[in-house]
Every structure is written in structure tokens, then in C-alpha cells.
Amino acid sequence: MTVCRPVLVIGLVAAVFAGTQASAAAAAPTPAPGRAAQEPAAAGPAVRALLRQYCFACHNERAQIGGLALDTLDLAQVSARADVWEQVVRKLRTGAMPPAGRPQPDAAASNNVATWLETQLDRAALEHPNPGRPTLHRLNRAEYRNAVRDLLAVDVDASLLPADNAAYGFDNNADALTLSSALTERYLGAAAKISQMALGRLRGSPPPETILVPTDRDQGVRISDDLPFGSRGGTVFRYYFPVDGDYRFDMRPKEGGVDGGFVGVTAEPHQLDVSLDGVRVWTGTVGGPSLEGLRGDDRIDAILESLRFQVPVKAGSYQVQVYFAAKTSAYVEDLFDPDLRRDPYRAGNGEPAISSVTITGPPAGVASVGDSPSRRRLLVCTPASGSGGEACAKTIITTLARRAYRRPVTDADLEIPLSLYRDGARAGGFESGIELAVRGILVSPSFLFRFEEQPASVMPDTPYRISGLELASRLAFFLWSSIPDDELLDVAVQQTLHEPRVLQQQVRRMLADPRSQALVDNFAGQWLHIRNVAQLQPSPELLFHFDDGLRAAFEQETKLFFDSIIREDRSVLDLLDADYTFLNERLATHYGIPGVRGARFRRVSLPADSVRRGLLGQGSILTGTSRANRTSPVIRGKWILDNILGAPPPPPPPNVPDLEEPRDPRKVLPMREQMAAHRANPVCASCHAQMDQLGFALENFDAIGEWREIYPSGLPIDPSAKFPDGTTFAGPAELRAVLLSHSDDFLTTVTDRLLTYALGRGLEATDAPVVRQIKRAAASENYAFASLVQSIVASTPFQMRMAQEHAN
């Protein structure tokens, strides 16, 4: 009976969620229809004259190219069709319209029209604010994982829940975070497992967990700064040991050799060490004289048995380090440059390597329930022997529910968890009751969803300010992807969080907190596609010197770079042209930058003419915007238009053929010639005229971001480019200069993306004036990252929402 109650609770969530979505959709305002233009004298003849000369030929009531009939719109009522006029402003600002091949207005005239339209739209937004109606917001997978970490000091595997759908570039978008019956079951299973882990009361024997080592990792060198000097190969990962007990470790060597089926396992011994948080817990030997005379299965069994051990571990999260003791870094004699050698060109290939690590927990009934970080976090009191159990349980449940629900709790909030506690305590004692209560809290809609209550006195279609507790929740999920901490909740309860001074102080504190790493992992990780780097698989036939070490270095460089923008409160414009980056030896060698040694990443200064300055010089971006076997000016140009200039091109027309892919690299034409066919097609030319040119400027970077002067065919690379307006540039340095000359477009893009992420919804035309206001507010601090965050947090859509019809 007890296990059914969470099912009932979470079952109600689906109905609430569906009803909220429907009511929000029904209450959404409908844009005013266009009508015959009646231009006011205040608009002046210049605005309509420019539109008539350069826009009406295509965007008129008869042609309606792109679905626009600008000649029917009333310039006296610009705000009535804000959706259309904001598109016009964006196209004019980015130079996307008029398209290539059509007459172009001079920059000053175009800027004047855009400024006039912005002024009308901003004035209307100030007079009639529309903060929007966010959909009921479910916690996404990252937020759920972080919330459990901060609630219970338990690190859970993200695979407990399925990956979330993304919308508008982010997976925290409320409209995409739907709830299905399958996901409901996953929440129930996750809550059961987490409640057991928190108390160290696992049911049955935990299944073995295997951590795989990438097959293309070079294990002849020290692979990570988290491993000791004098080590080579192996792996390092964080693992949560749920209970005190003896854990079994099984290491498996890399297969494929002739010696017993494992690479490099011979009569020569190799020392293998395992450490937990830097403390060595086991030392073994791979290979050695004991293998002499063994053949077939006997040899394999002996090798695997030598790599198996058991060790007592206290419950908690540890960094597991598995590594070989390095012997020598000598290279074999061959014709290849040593810096280019990879399997099978390294001497390390003749040494053993690890392919996986399997950890098996203690069997059922053997694990002990001792002290652990999660028990200390959860059990804030201990019942006196024989009495006081329910009073202590109520204290524990109240403390946990306050943080889980992000607000003070009521007697009604405690009714279900306390009932679950009583059921569990009758069957199995105090901790069994607490376990069931925790499970009930973790499946409560108040935990899984971010409710925002509309005051009964607010009229429909009226903007109102959200409560301090709701603001605290928005702030925490924006900056930490997690729940508010006690300090933030206390300030909200005191009803002072809305005060500008208090709010600014809390933002500064939260940005300085390590939990703001979530902005790197979840905001930058999706905006800059850093999350995709782990899945990059360039062609091993053509790009044979790419391996897991380089892949990991690409990811780490961009993460550290964006993190420095946050921690040092640098201008976001430094993302385009910073005079530094972060490198280790592997990445520095790939970039051709001397003087960097070892696996540790460190800050490296870059000269003014370096091709590595800013995001467009980083391997994560360059490889992620390439094909597996070649560069792609189209993908790179599209990435810049979308993520830098904020002017994504429309989808390509159907049935566009792919470029031919000759197998012989000597027969591959220069990319400029291969793309000529697209530019020759008038339908494609308007987009490719800008997109391709941006990509051509980066052609000196190959498909994994390595600098080159010639193609594999031997033909020289031509990185020159020319925009339809006559602007010419060549190579990465001049491309950066062009992008910096459009810095306002980049600032708009950054603000747009950051506001989208902060609100958890897609931006609408009514949000564009807010984006401009945020930029203006941050200008006095040279667009420092914190100034953008502070301006977003102080903005109307972040602090307010639009009222909807009350449910009957």
C-alpha cells in the first residue's frame, strides 16, 4: 500500500502539467492583424521611403515573399505587429536583407530605420510590459541530479533518467520538458534508489558497474592532470560508493594482442596502481614471469585474476584513479615525426593498456550502515531510544521538504511524507520510515516542478511580480541548475530579495560559488556545443593522429576558457578575441605552440596575430563544425551566423545534393571550387554568399583544427573572402576583425541566448526590447559577464509574469 502513494502523487502531476499547458496556450494573446498602412507624420518620409525602395518589391501584399507584406502594415502602430518589425530590425542590423544581388541601402540609412523602429518598439514595451507566461517547469535531468546532490549529498548517475528534449537551443526549456508514463516510472525508480543510497540501506546486491576506457586513448603517456607524475595510461573518474563495505575491482586489459589475447601483456612486468582521492589502495602487476608456460584460457584467467582485488571503502564520492607506473618514453625508429605518432607508431603500443574497470559492491547483508556525508546531511537529529521517533522524523522531514520544495512547508505538505514514515517505521523501524518519506518527497510535484502561484487578486492579462521565494528558485536554477541554498531561501523568506542591493549581492555570491560551474556545463555546453565534443569521431583513415587525448583537450580548453570569463568577470567580447587560452602539451603540440610541457592545463598568452585567439581558433569549435573527413565552410559559416551574429540562415531547399567525396585525397578539389555549384544556383546564392565566405576564412584549419597551408592534393589554400557589400577579409585574424566590427550583433546574440537559458523558454518579439535594455545596462561595465547576469536578473521577464484566466 505504501509504495502506491508516490504513484498517486506523481500521477496527479501529469494532469496538472497538461492542464497548465492548455490554459497557458489558451490565454496567449493573438497578434493584431495587418491593415492598410496609415503612416503618421512623426515617422517621417525617410522610413517609408527606404522600405518602399528596398523592401516592398518582394514583401508586398501580392508577392508576400517570406510570408511578409510590409506595405500593408501601419507604421503608426508598430507595436501591433512587433513580431514582424523585430524581424525587420534584426535583418537590417545584421545586413541579411536586402539579400545578395539586390540593391543595398547605405549603412547610415539602414541604421536610421532600424533605430527608429527599435525606439517605437521599446517605448511600447515600456508602456505595456509583457513578461510572458512560462509553462509549468519540470526539472530537467541535470537540475534533478544537482538538486539531489545539494539535498542529500548523493551523486547519482545521470542515466537514472532519460535525456531531455531541447528547444531554442537548451534542454531546460519548459515547453520541451513534458512528462510521460515512462518518465514517471523512471522517477519512481530513481527516488527508490536515491532514498536507499542516502541512508546506506541498499536492497539486494548492487549490480556491477563498468567504466569503459575510450579505445583511441593513447596510454603510453600521462593522460590527465588528475593522475600522478610518473604515471601513464589508465583512466580517472568519479564514483559514488553508496555504503560502507568491501568493493571488488576488476580491471580488463586492452584486447587484440597475440600474448594471451591482450595487448602488451608479456613476461615483462608492468606496475598498475589504483587510488581513491589520491590515496593508493592497491598495487598489482600486469604480466611477469608467472605467465611463462601458460597458454590459451589458462593464460587469460591468470591475467584477469591478477587484475582483481577487494578493498574496504567508506561510503561517499571518490575520484578513482587507475594508472600504470611509467617506464620509458623512448620511441621506436621509423620515418614518422614523433609528434605525429599514435597507435601503432608509439612504443607504448607494445605495453599493456586498460580497456575497462568494473566495480562491484558488497553483497546483500554484508554492507554496514556507518557514517557518510549523505547520512550527516539527512539525519539532522537522532531519536531517543524507545521514544521520540516521530518528533525527530518530523524535524528531518520538515528540514528536507523545505529545501526540496524551495519554500516553507505547511502541515498539508507534511501529511503524505509523515504518513509514509509511519508505514515504513511500523514495518522496519525508524530508518525504514525515513527512507519511505524521502522517497515520497522526491516524487512530489512540489519537488519535480517549479510552481509559481498566481495571486487571486490579479486580473487576467496583467503583469505581476513573482514572490521572493519564486525569484529565489528562478535565480538558483539559472546560475546553479539546482535548488536555492539556505541563505538564499532565508533572504527570500525575509522578503528582501527583490531589493536591488540584496539581489545584486546574492548574484555576486552565487557566481563566486563553485556551483556556478553549471553555467559552463549547461549554458556554454549547449550554446557552444561543448557537450558534443565527446562524440566527435573524425575519420581515423585520414586524420590518424586524432585520439581521445586530443578530444578531451578540445573540451577542456573551451570549458576553462568560458569559466575564466565568468570567474574573472571579463567582457563577453573576449570570447571573440581573447589574448590567452588554456593548453596542455598535447593540445599545444597540435596547435604548434611551443614551450608547454605535461598533461596539466595552464593559461597561455597569445600574441596579437595568433590564429588561436578567441573561440574560432579552438579545436572544439573547428572540429565540431567539420565533416568527419574534411572541412565544411558551410557548417562553419552557418555556425558563425547562428551563434556569433545571431542571423541563422533559413533551411536549405529540398533535394540539394551532397558534395562528391573522392576517395583519393590527391584528387580532391579546393573547397572553394567544390562550393561553386551551390553559389551558382540563385536559390542558394543568397545564403551561401555570406555563409561560405565566413567558412572560407577558416580553411587553413583542417577538419580537426590543425593549421595547414596546402590541401592534401598539394594545392595552396586560399582563405580570402568577400561579402556582398564589398567587405573583404582573409584568414582568421581578419575574420575576427570583421566580427568585432559587428560586436553589437554578437552582444545581442549572447544576451539572447543567456536570457533564453535564464527564463527556460524561447524568446518572443515582445522580449527583444528587454534584450536591448540588458545590453544598454551592461555597456557601462564593458559587457562584463556579471553585468549581463545582473541585468537579466533585474529584468521584467525574470521578475514578473503575465496573469492568465483563473481556473473555475
Coordinates of all heavy atoms in Angstrom, one line a residue, residues 569-600:
D569 N 35.2 37.8 -14.4 CA 34.2 38.8 -14.8 C 34.7 39.6 -16.0 O 34.8 40.8 -16.0 CB 33.9 39.7 -13.6 CG 32.6 40.5 -13.9 OD1 31.8 40.1 -14.8 OD2 32.4 41.5 -13.2
R570 N 35.1 38.9 -17.0 CA 35.7 39.6 -18.2 C 34.5 39.9 -19.2 O 33.4 39.4 -19.1 CB 36.7 38.6 -18.9 CG 37.9 38.2 -18.1 CD 38.8 37.3 -18.8 NE 39.5 38.0 -19.9 CZ 40.7 38.6 -19.8 NH1 41.3 38.5 -18.6 NH2 41.2 39.1 -20.8
S571 N 34.9 40.8 -20.1 CA 33.9 41.2 -21.1 C 33.6 40.0 -22.0 O 34.5 39.2 -22.4 CB 34.4 42.3 -22.0 OG 33.6 42.6 -23.1
V572 N 32.3 39.8 -22.3 CA 32.0 38.7 -23.2 C 32.5 38.9 -24.6 O 32.6 37.9 -25.4 CB 30.4 38.5 -23.3 CG1 29.9 38.1 -21.9 CG2 29.7 39.7 -23.8
L573 N 33.0 40.1 -24.9 CA 33.6 40.3 -26.2 C 35.0 39.6 -26.3 O 35.5 39.3 -27.4 CB 33.8 41.8 -26.5 CG 32.6 42.6 -26.7 CD1 32.9 44.1 -26.8 CD2 31.9 42.1 -28.0
D574 N 35.5 39.2 -25.1 CA 36.8 38.5 -25.1 C 36.6 37.1 -25.7 O 37.6 36.4 -26.1 CB 37.3 38.4 -23.7 CG 38.0 39.6 -23.2 OD1 38.1 40.6 -24.0 OD2 38.3 39.7 -22.0
L575 N 35.3 36.6 -25.8 CA 35.1 35.3 -26.4 C 35.5 35.3 -27.8 O 35.9 34.3 -28.4 CB 33.6 35.0 -26.3 CG 33.1 34.6 -24.9 CD1 31.6 34.6 -24.9 CD2 33.7 33.3 -24.4
L576 N 35.5 36.5 -28.5 CA 35.9 36.6 -29.9 C 37.4 36.8 -30.1 O 38.0 36.4 -31.1 CB 35.2 37.8 -30.5 CG 33.7 37.7 -30.7 CD1 33.1 38.9 -31.4 CD2 33.3 36.4 -31.5
D577 N 38.1 37.5 -29.1 CA 39.5 37.9 -29.4 C 40.3 37.9 -28.1 O 41.2 38.8 -28.0 CB 39.5 39.3 -30.0 CG 40.8 39.6 -30.6 OD1 41.5 38.7 -31.1 OD2 41.2 40.8 -30.6
A578 N 40.2 37.0 -27.2 CA 41.0 36.9 -26.0 C 42.4 36.7 -26.4 O 42.8 36.0 -27.3 CB 40.5 35.8 -25.1
D579 N 43.3 37.3 -25.6 CA 44.7 37.1 -25.8 C 45.3 36.0 -25.0 O 46.5 36.0 -24.7 CB 45.5 38.5 -25.5 CG 45.3 38.9 -24.0 OD1 44.6 38.2 -23.3 OD2 45.9 39.9 -23.6
Y580 N 44.5 35.0 -24.7 CA 45.0 33.8 -23.9 C 44.1 32.7 -24.2 O 43.0 32.8 -24.7 CB 45.0 34.1 -22.4 CG 43.6 34.3 -21.9 CD1 42.9 33.2 -21.3 CD2 42.9 35.5 -21.9 CE1 41.6 33.3 -20.8 CE2 41.7 35.7 -21.4 CZ 41.0 34.6 -20.9 OH 39.7 34.7 -20.4
T581 N 44.6 31.5 -23.9 CA 43.8 30.3 -23.9 C 44.4 29.3 -22.9 O 45.3 29.7 -22.1 CB 43.7 29.6 -25.3 OG1 42.7 28.6 -25.3 CG2 45.0 29.0 -25.7
F582 N 43.9 28.1 -22.8 CA 44.3 27.1 -21.9 C 44.8 25.9 -22.6 O 44.0 25.3 -23.4 CB 43.2 26.8 -20.9 CG 42.9 27.9 -20.0 CD1 41.9 28.9 -20.4 CD2 43.5 28.1 -18.7 CE1 41.6 29.9 -19.6 CE2 43.1 29.2 -17.9 CZ 42.2 30.1 -18.4
L583 N 46.0 25.4 -22.4 CA 46.6 24.3 -23.1 C 47.4 23.4 -22.2 O 47.9 23.8 -21.2 CB 47.6 24.9 -24.2 CG 47.1 26.0 -25.1 CD1 48.3 26.5 -26.0 CD2 46.0 25.4 -26.0
N584 N 47.4 22.1 -22.7 CA 48.4 21.2 -22.1 C 49.3 20.8 -23.3 O 49.2 21.4 -24.4 CB 47.7 20.0 -21.5 CG 47.0 19.1 -22.5 OD1 46.9 19.5 -23.7 ND2 46.4 18.0 -22.1
E585 N 50.3 19.9 -23.0 CA 51.3 19.7 -24.0 C 50.7 19.1 -25.3 O 51.0 19.4 -26.4 CB 52.3 18.7 -23.5 CG 53.4 18.4 -24.5 CD 54.5 17.5 -23.9 OE1 54.4 17.1 -22.7 OE2 55.5 17.2 -24.6
R586 N 49.7 18.1 -25.1 CA 49.1 17.5 -26.3 C 48.4 18.5 -27.2 O 48.6 18.5 -28.4 CB 48.1 16.5 -25.8 CG 47.3 15.8 -26.9 CD 48.2 14.7 -27.6 NE 47.5 14.0 -28.6 CZ 47.4 14.3 -29.9 NH1 48.0 15.4 -30.3 NH2 46.7 13.6 -30.7
L587 N 47.7 19.5 -26.6 CA 47.0 20.5 -27.4 C 47.9 21.5 -27.9 O 47.8 21.9 -29.1 CB 45.9 21.1 -26.5 CG 44.9 22.0 -27.3 CD1 44.2 21.3 -28.4 CD2 43.8 22.5 -26.3
A588 N 48.9 21.9 -27.2 CA 49.9 22.9 -27.6 C 50.6 22.4 -28.8 O 50.9 23.1 -29.8 CB 50.8 23.3 -26.5
T589 N 51.0 21.1 -28.8 CA 51.7 20.5 -29.9 C 50.8 20.5 -31.2 O 51.2 20.8 -32.3 CB 52.1 19.0 -29.6 OG1 53.0 19.1 -28.4 CG2 52.8 18.4 -30.7
H590 N 49.6 20.2 -31.0 CA 48.6 20.2 -32.1 C 48.4 21.5 -32.7 O 48.3 21.7 -33.9 CB 47.2 19.7 -31.6 CG 46.2 19.5 -32.6 ND1 46.2 18.5 -33.6 CD2 45.1 20.2 -32.9 CE1 45.2 18.6 -34.4 NE2 44.4 19.7 -34.0
Y591 N 48.5 22.6 -31.8 CA 48.3 23.9 -32.3 C 49.7 24.5 -32.8 O 49.7 25.6 -33.4 CB 47.8 24.8 -31.2 CG 46.4 24.7 -30.8 CD1 45.8 25.3 -29.7 CD2 45.5 23.9 -31.6 CE1 44.5 25.2 -29.4 CE2 44.2 23.7 -31.3 CZ 43.7 24.4 -30.1 OH 42.3 24.3 -29.8
G592 N 50.8 23.9 -32.6 CA 52.1 24.4 -33.0 C 52.6 25.5 -32.1 O 53.3 26.4 -32.5
I593 N 52.2 25.5 -30.8 CA 52.6 26.5 -29.8 C 53.7 25.8 -28.9 O 53.4 24.9 -28.2 CB 51.4 26.9 -29.0 CG1 50.4 27.6 -29.9 CG2 51.9 27.9 -27.8 CD1 49.1 28.1 -29.2
P594 N 54.9 26.4 -28.9 CA 56.0 25.7 -28.2 C 56.0 26.1 -26.7 O 55.2 27.0 -26.3 CB 57.2 26.3 -28.9 CG 56.8 27.7 -29.3 CD 55.3 27.5 -29.7
G595 N 56.8 25.4 -25.9 CA 57.0 25.7 -24.5 C 56.0 25.2 -23.5 O 56.0 25.6 -22.4
V596 N 55.1 24.3 -23.9 CA 54.1 23.8 -23.0 C 54.4 22.3 -22.8 O 54.4 21.6 -23.8 CB 52.7 24.0 -23.5 CG1 51.7 23.4 -22.5 CG2 52.4 25.5 -23.8
R597 N 54.6 21.9 -21.6 CA 55.0 20.5 -21.3 C 54.1 19.9 -20.2 O 53.7 20.6 -19.3 CB 56.5 20.4 -20.8 CG 57.5 20.8 -21.9 CD 57.6 19.8 -22.9 NE 58.6 20.1 -24.0 CZ 58.3 20.7 -25.1 NH1 57.0 21.0 -25.4 NH2 59.2 21.0 -26.0
G598 N 53.7 18.7 -20.4 CA 53.0 17.9 -19.4 C 51.5 17.9 -19.7 O 51.0 18.6 -20.5
A599 N 50.8 17.1 -18.9 CA 49.3 16.9 -19.1 C 48.5 18.1 -18.4 O 47.3 18.2 -18.7 CB 48.9 15.6 -18.5
R600 N 49.1 18.8 -17.5 CA 48.4 19.9 -16.8 C 48.0 21.0 -17.8 O 48.9 21.5 -18.5 CB 49.2 20.4 -15.7 CG 48.5 21.5 -14.8 CD 49.4 22.0 -13.7 NE 50.6 22.6 -14.2 CZ 50.7 23.9 -14.5 NH1 49.6 24.7 -14.4 NH2 51.8 24.4 -14.9

